[in-house]
Structure formats: structure tokens, C-alpha cells
């Protein structure tokens, strides 16, 4: 499933109070833990992220302490659970990198997942237990998950999906040139390079966006190959049409570029730089006169997402009602509503 599908599925588990242990599989760097954190935030749940590969069995089980006082239990010990495990409330206990943990650690985790308890500790009723791990083909240092443990989980596999990434990137203000480049070269969104320490993934492109905002080389984030292609793409920005002029309604004499990469950069720039519904309308009218429908559609999807984030949907809706051309376009592309 896509990241968007995964988020919807996990939200349904929470909303229907289905406390079924769930395992999320997927390549490193595609946002598994980030999605779970977003689900927790959206549902006002606490979120505890445990990296089991960094723990020893005693870290999870707790420490044995002698029973004090005079009682029948004198001379025995009890287990004091660690303070990082939830004690009350509601939340998501997320066991990340589960299959990177050695078999002994997975054995302790199995009791936590199956019985919702380990030693003297018991998981509070309001907590979900979810986990995540990488697959064999991801070349991660993993241990085989025992069949009894695997059989305790729902299994969800997440795949890289550019549309889901783009929604996230727009919402989180990724650099315009990063979004435009990956719209043009979406196959570079996730490209594992076993010969390099740095390689392209949604996680490293987020790092690259922060570096690029500060005019720092992105090679240490995404690797040499992706960085070289990105830098060549950025050079095209010198030949972009006057974006600000178009958004201000002064694009009559400006032509739509002929080269594909520059077209992507132009459409993305118009959608991201539009400050309000009026500028968005100017961008739409210019593109609808100068470009073919696929470019107008690409722009319109991103424009609506941007107008939503800027609180301009009411103003845009009013403009659509007043403009027959806009009405016809959105009637022809009703599927845009499902993309947003």
C-alpha cells in the first residue's frame, strides 16, 4: 500500500478501537515511523518509539528487586519495569526496527505483543502495539522473524509512492526546487545505492530540502548521482518564464517552455508561489491558454493543496463559481477531489 493508504488503514484501527498488534514492512527511509507518529498526533494519542535493536532483554523486562518486609513473598524478587513503558493513558507503543533485534530480544517482545505484558508489567488498555521492520531485499541487517511471533501480527507492506510524498512535501514546505525535480524524476525518490553511504529516499530528500534552503550541497544526503542530476535541473531555473508576472496577470506575451524539465519546474513554481486565490486563478488562466491539459491538471492538483494549507479554499471556491472556464475544468476532472 502507499503511505496514504497506510495512514488511512491505521486511522481506521484507532477509530474502531481495534487493539490488534500490527507489523509495518517497508524499505528504509520511506517514512514508516513518521506515518505512525502522524496517526498518533491526529488522534490525540501519546507516542512511544522503542528501538528494540538498541535494547537488551533486561531493558524491556526490567530489573529484579528483592521483596521487602515480612510476608509470604519474603526471600523472592519482583520485577520493576522500565520507566519508558506506558503506565496509563492512551497511545501507540511503537516497536521500531523489530526484526533488527536479535532473537533473544524478539522473544521478550513476543510476550509483550501476544500477552500485552512482560514480567510484572502490563500494557494499559488504551494503548496500541504496533511495530515496523525492513525486508530482506532492503539489505538491512535483520534477523528472521520467528513464525510464532509473525503470526501474532497484522502485516502491512508500504511501498514508495510519489503522490503521497508530494502531499507531505507541500504540507511541510519542502523547497520548491526539490519538489519540482522529483516531479520530473520521480524514480529518484527512492534509489538504494549499496556502493554509497548516502542514497536517495524520502527521508534523505527531506534532509536535502533543509540543506538546499541554506544553500548547502545536498550530496551528503542523497548521494552523488541524484545530487548531480538535481544540480543540472536547478540550472534550468535561469530559463524559467517570469513566474511572478504570470501570477500577477501579466503573462499574455509569455510562452510555456518547450523542454519537459522546465515545464515541470514552471507548473510547480506557479502552484507553490501563488500567495492567494487571485494569483492561483491567474496561474490557471495562463496555463490553460498556453499549455495542454495534462500540465493544467498537474498545476491544479498542487494549487488546491496549497490553497487549503493557506486557508484560501473559500476564496478559490468563490472564484470558481464566477468563472465558467474554471467550472468546466473542475467538472471534467472530478477525480482531482479524490487526490486531495
Amino acid at each position: 500500500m502507499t503511505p496514504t493508504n497506510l495512514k488511512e488503514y491505521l486511522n481506521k484501527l484507532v477509530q474502531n478501537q481495534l487493539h490488534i498488534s500490527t507489523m509495518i514492512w517497508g524499505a528504509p527511509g520511506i517514512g514508516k515511523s513518521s506515518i505512525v507518529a502522524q496517526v498518533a498526533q491526529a488522534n490525540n494519542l501519546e507516542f512511544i518509539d522503542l528501538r528494540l535493536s538498541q535494547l537488551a532483554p533486561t531493558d524491556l523486562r526490567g530489573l529484579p528487586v528483592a521483596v521487602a518486609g515480612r510476608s509470604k513473598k519474603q526471600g523472592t524478587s519482583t520485577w520493576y519495569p522500565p520507566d519508558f513503558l506506558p503506565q496509563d493513558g492512551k497511545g501507540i507503543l511503537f516497536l521500531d526496527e523489530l526484526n533488527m533485534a536479535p532473537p533473544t530480544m524478539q522473544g521478550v517482545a513476543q510476550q509483550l505483543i501476544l500477552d500485552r505484558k512482560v514480567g510484572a508489567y502490563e500494557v494499559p488498555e488504551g494503548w496500541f502495539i504496533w511495530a515496523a521492520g525492513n525486508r530482506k531485499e532492503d539489505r538491512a541487517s535483520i534477523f528472521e522473524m520467528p513464525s510464532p511471533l509473525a503470526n501474532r501480527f497484522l502485516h502491512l507492506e508500504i511501498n514508495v509512492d510519489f503522490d503521497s510524498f508530494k502531499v507531505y512535501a507541500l504540507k511541510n514546505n519542502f523547497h520548491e526546487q526539490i519538489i519540482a525535480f522529483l516531479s520530473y524524476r520521480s524514480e529518484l525518490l527512492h534509489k538504494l545505492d549499496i556502493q554509497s553511504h548516502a542514497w536517495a529516499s524520502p527521508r534523505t530528500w527531506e534532509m536535502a530540502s533543509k540543506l538546499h534552503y541554506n544553500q548547502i550541497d545536498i550530496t551528503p544526503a542523497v548521494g552523488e548521482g541524484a545530487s548531480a542530476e538535481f544540480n543540472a535541473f536547478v540550472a534550468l531555473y535561469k530559463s524559467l518564464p517570469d513566474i511572478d508576472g504570470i501570477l500577477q496577470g501579466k503573462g499574455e506575451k509569455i510562452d510555456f517552455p518547450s523542454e519537459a524539465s522546465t515545464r515541470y519546474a514552471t507548473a510547480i513554481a506557479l502552484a507553490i508561489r501563488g500567495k492567494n486565490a487571485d494569483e492561483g486563478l491567474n496561474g490557471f488562466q495562463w496555463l490553460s491558454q498556453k499549455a495542454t491539459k495534462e500540465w493544467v491538471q498537474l498545476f491544479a492538483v498542487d494549487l488546491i493543496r496549497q490553497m487549503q494549507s493557506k486557508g484560501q479554499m473559500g476564496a478559490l471556491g468563490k472564484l470558481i463559481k464566477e468563472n465558467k472556464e474554471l467550472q468546466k475544468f473542475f467538472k471534467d476532472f472530478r477525480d482531482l477531489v479524490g487526490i486531495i
Side-chain angles (χ1 to χ4, degrees), residues 67-182:
V67 175
R70 300 187 176 214
S71 70
K72 292 181 179 179
K73 292 187 177 181
Q74 188 176 10
T76 63
S77 63
T78 186
W79 292 85
Y80 278 14
D83 61 1
F84 55 72
L85 290 174
Q87 302 298 322
D88 50 32
K90 297 180 179 181
I92 298 171
L93 177 58
F94 186 51
L95 311 178
D96 205 358
E97 301 176 349
L98 176 59
N99 58 342
M100 289 182 68
T104 53
M105 192 65 207
Q106 290 191 39
V108 177
Q110 180 175 331
Q111 184 184 1
L112 185 67
I113 293 160
L114 173 61
D115 301 325
R116 295 180 62 87
K117 62 172 62 177
V118 57
Y121 171 76
E122 187 169 348
V123 180
E125 289 185 7
W127 283 76
F128 296 86
I129 301 177
W130 296 346
N134 299 319
R135 307 158 304 182
K136 289 181 181 179
E137 59 264 35
D138 299 322
R139 297 179 179 270
S141 300
I142 62 172
F143 294 90
E144 190 74 30
M145 181 179 287
S147 297
L149 177 57
N151 198 233
R152 266 69 178 180
F153 282 115
L154 293 177
H155 293 273
L156 307 176
E157 184 162 346
I158 179 176
N159 298 307
V160 178
D161 174 67
F162 177 70
D163 286 336
S164 299
F165 170 81
K166 193 174 185 182
V167 171
Y168 177 81
L170 288 169
K171 184 177 180 181
N172 289 275
N173 299 314
F174 277 41
H175 197 289
E176 172 193 315
Q177 292 174 346
I178 296 284
I179 298 173
F181 172 67
L182 291 173

Side-chain angles (χ1 to χ4, degrees), residues 315-332:
L316 181 62
K318 184 178 179 181
L319 290 176
I320 291 174
K321 290 181 181 178
E322 296 172 353
N323 188 299
K324 292 183 178 179
E325 186 180 7
L326 276 173
Q327 289 177 22
K328 183 179 184 303
F329 176 82
F330 285 102
K331 182 179 179 181
D332 290 343

Side-chain angles (χ1 to χ4, degrees), residues 15-312:
Q15 291 159 8
N16 289 282
Q17 290 297 298
L18 297 176
H19 290 81
I20 305 173
S21 299
T22 300
M23 179 73 188
I24 303 167
W25 299 91
I30 63 175
K32 298 184 292 295
S33 56
S34 176
I35 289 170
V36 174
Q38 290 170 42
V39 170
Q41 184 178 21
N43 292 278
N44 297 314
L45 297 173
E46 294 182 55
F47 177 62
I48 295 177
D49 185 344
L50 287 184
R51 306 293 168 121
L52 292 184
S53 59
Q54 299 173 11
L55 300 177
T58 52
D59 294 332
L60 195 60
R61 184 178 177 88
L63 294 174
V65 179
V67 175
R70 300 187 176 214
S71 70
K72 292 181 179 179
K73 292 187 177 181
Q74 188 176 10
T76 63
S77 63
T78 186
W79 292 85
Y80 278 14
D83 61 1
F84 55 72
L85 290 174
Q87 302 298 322
D88 50 32
K90 297 180 179 181
I92 298 171
L93 177 58
F94 186 51
L95 311 178
D96 205 358
E97 301 176 349
L98 176 59
N99 58 342
M100 289 182 68
T104 53
M105 192 65 207
Q106 290 191 39
V108 177
Q110 180 175 331
Q111 184 184 1
L112 185 67
I113 293 160
L114 173 61
D115 301 325
R116 295 180 62 87
K117 62 172 62 177
V118 57
Y121 171 76
E122 187 169 348
V123 180
E125 289 185 7
W127 283 76
F128 296 86
I129 301 177
W130 296 346
N134 299 319
R135 307 158 304 182
K136 289 181 181 179
E137 59 264 35
D138 299 322
R139 297 179 179 270
S141 300
I142 62 172
F143 294 90
E144 190 74 30
M145 181 179 287
S147 297
L149 177 57
N151 198 233
R152 266 69 178 180
F153 282 115
L154 293 177
H155 293 273
L156 307 176
E157 184 162 346
I158 179 176
N159 298 307
V160 178
D161 174 67
F162 177 70
D163 286 336
S164 299
F165 170 81
K166 193 174 185 182
V167 171
Y168 177 81
L170 288 169
K171 184 177 180 181
N172 289 275
N173 299 314
F174 277 41
H175 197 289
E176 172 193 315
Q177 292 174 346
I178 296 284
I179 298 173
F181 172 67
L182 291 173
S183 296
Y184 173 59
R185 292 280 279 129
S186 57
E187 60 270 28
L188 289 179
L189 175 60
H190 190 277
K191 191 171 184 180
L192 177 63
D193 182 359
I194 61 174
Q195 303 300 324
S196 174
H197 294 298
W199 47 275
S201 73
R203 178 165 55 204
T204 57
W205 281 114
E206 184 166 11
M207 298 177 196
S209 176
K210 295 174 182 177
L211 292 171
H212 194 54
Y213 265 125
N214 291 281
Q215 300 181 335
I216 301 174
D217 180 25
I218 70 169
T219 303
V222 298
E224 292 184 1
S227 176
E229 288 202 44
F230 173 73
N231 290 332
F233 180 84
V234 169
L236 295 173
Y237 269 69
K238 297 176 182 178
S239 60
L240 245 58
D242 181 5
I243 300 298
D244 291 336
I246 293 169
L247 292 173
Q248 292 167 16
K250 302 175 183 178
E252 299 89 354
K253 297 181 180 180
I254 301 176
D255 293 327
F256 191 55
S258 58
E259 206 279 322
S261 57
T262 313
R263 287 182 168 187
Y264 274 102
T266 300
I268 298 295
L270 286 171
I272 291 178
R273 296 187 200 178
K275 300 182 186 69
N276 51 51
D278 289 319
E279 291 193 355
L281 176 61
N282 289 334
F284 172 83
Q285 290 178 325
W286 179 80
L287 265 182
S288 63
Q289 293 167 7
K290 305 288 185 175
T292 52
K293 283 187 176 182
E294 64 267 26
W295 296 105
V296 183
Q297 184 176 7
L298 171 67
F299 163 79
V301 174
D302 293 336
L303 174 68
I304 292 174
R305 289 169 177 158
Q306 287 296 92
M307 291 297 101
Q308 283 181 324
S309 67
K310 294 176 180 178
Q312 287 285 309

